[in-house]
Amino acid sequence: MSRLTFDLDVIRSFVTGVELGSFSKAAERLGRSTSAISAQLKKLEDQVDAPLLRKAGRGLALTETGEVMLAYGRRLLDLNDEAASAMQGTELAGSVRLGLQEDFGESVLPEVLGLFRRAHPRLHIEVQLARNTALLDGVRSGRLDMALAWQTDASSIHAEHITTLAMRWIAAEGANAPDSNEPMPLVVLDAPCLMRAAAIDALDYAHRPWRIAFTSPSLAGTWAAVRTGWGLSVRTELGLPPGVQVLDAEQHSLPPLPALGLALYSSHATKSVAGERLATMIKERLHDALGAMAGRKN
């Protein structure tokens, strides 16, 4: 029996299509035609001699074989990308000082750090998890080389816009919004906080009473309070922990919330080679997370 040898381009098309929830979106992301992606998918199904997708309503869902292929495909691509990064700069040395919002401490940071360490073992990364104001101040003063932070009017700092995310009302898993006749209990970070201000502004504009039920200096404390039912909070869907859920504003008669930009801020318009490598890995992991998030919605 001949040994199967998978084409990584084909695997990348399959994984990207599943994560984005659309193979036409995968074609756009990868710079290919939809027919080319379809041909690659057929080739992969011929190789494993089984269908990878099945119809589910108007869309598609993974078969059992597809679920196994997706898991192995992600591992193959991670190893390939790690090897490519290593070959592009095994002698890279020095340090990079990175700042991150707490939202990404568990969803982005572990993968990026693991991949970066394996590719560039001589590089030192110093990470600071902090609030938005502290991160921007750190970049502005030169204490941080770069920071992944919510986009604000910080024109004195070089910023690369990554994406725009809707703010959402967050509650404990299985909970409903409080009765509209009662003041809305809010679980928020200490002021100043962009999302705390957005929640209060939205409620004031809707003439809905509110009260601060719980405040915390850390996001971990906020999530603990939300999970135990102290009230509602406001964050984006990216990086939500277990035990909480997004409430549909219209369905629960909650006021709509604005969107918030996410940017990679740098202390210099031109990053160091190490900084460029780290920035690329962060953006790739964020795009993967956003694709997975979009796939879950579809």
Side-chain angles (χ1 to χ4, degrees):
M1 181 178 177
S2 61
R3 185 182 296 273
L4 280 177
T5 302
F6 292 111
D7 184 331
L8 286 178
D9 280 340
V10 174
I11 296 291
R12 195 176 297 278
S13 295
F14 169 66
V15 171
T16 303
V18 172
E19 290 184 340
L20 292 179
S22 165
F23 286 94
S24 60
K25 290 180 181 177
E28 184 178 346
R29 166 77 64 83
L30 298 172
R32 302 178 186 276
S33 66
T34 304
S35 59
I37 296 290
S38 297
Q40 287 183 321
L41 182 60
K42 184 178 186 308
K43 174 183 176 180
L44 190 56
E45 290 183 324
D46 288 344
Q47 278 191 298
V48 300
D49 195 27
L52 300 174
L53 299 163
R54 58 179 176 79
K55 288 187 177 180
R58 295 184 177 181
L60 295 171
L62 289 169
T63 62
E64 288 187 13
T65 303
E67 290 175 347
V68 174
M69 189 72 250
L70 179 64
Y72 278 106
R74 284 170 169 159
R75 289 166 58 185
L76 287 168
L77 293 175
D78 282 345
L79 188 58
N80 175 81
D81 295 346
E82 179 186 324
S85 294
M87 293 304 101
Q88 290 169 359
T90 53
E91 297 303 313
L92 210 56
S95 64
V96 183
R97 298 164 301 172
L98 170 67
L100 287 173
Q101 283 279 345
E102 288 183 272
D103 303 67
F104 312 116
E106 294 184 9
S107 59
V108 173
L109 186 59
E111 274 193 89
V112 169
L113 288 185
L115 179 59
F116 201 77
R117 181 186 61 80
R118 292 190 295 270
H120 308 295
R122 294 178 58 195
L123 266 169
H124 172 71
I125 302 180
E126 180 183 328
V127 178
Q128 177 182 344
L129 294 178
R131 303 273 293 276
N132 221 66
T133 301
L135 293 177
L136 297 181
D137 286 345
V139 173
R140 189 179 288 109
S141 65
R143 296 191 306 273
L144 293 173
D145 297 310
M146 66 179 74
L148 185 65
W150 303 118
Q151 208 156 2
T152 63
D153 183 18
S155 55
S156 60
I157 312 174
H158 176 75
E160 180 183 357
H161 178 76
I162 303 298
T163 189
T164 299
L165 296 164
M167 295 188 209
R168 306 295 298 272
W169 294 103
I170 312 296
E173 199 167 45
N176 292 313
D179 191 285
S180 59
N181 295 321
E182 298 179 3
M184 171 81 75
L186 295 177
V187 176
V188 291
L189 290 171
D190 294 342
C193 171
L194 291 168
M195 298 192 194
R196 172 182 175 140
I200 292 172
D201 287 347
L203 291 167
D204 284 345
Y205 186 79
H207 304 292
R208 182 158 180 178
W210 54 270
R211 63 183 178 88
I212 301 296
F214 186 97
T215 60
S216 171
S218 72
L219 190 56
T222 300
W223 290 139
V226 171
R227 277 194 295 266
T228 51
W230 279 85
L232 270 60
S233 192
V234 169
R235 299 306 287 181
T236 72
E237 289 184 68
L238 195 58
L240 291 183
V244 303
Q245 65 173 343
V246 172
L247 293 182
D248 181 270
E250 186 175 353
Q251 181 180 345
H252 289 270
S253 301
L254 295 168
L257 293 163
L260 191 58
L262 181 65
L264 193 60
Y265 289 90
S266 305
S267 55
H268 302 286
T270 303
K271 300 182 187 69
S272 65
V273 175
E276 286 287 0
R277 297 269 169 81
L278 182 57
T280 297
M281 288 183 184
I282 290 170
K283 288 183 284 187
E284 287 175 349
R285 294 303 161 190
L286 278 172
H287 283 307
D288 289 346
L290 290 168
M293 191 172 76
R296 289 194 296 271
K297 289 182 181 179
N298 294 335

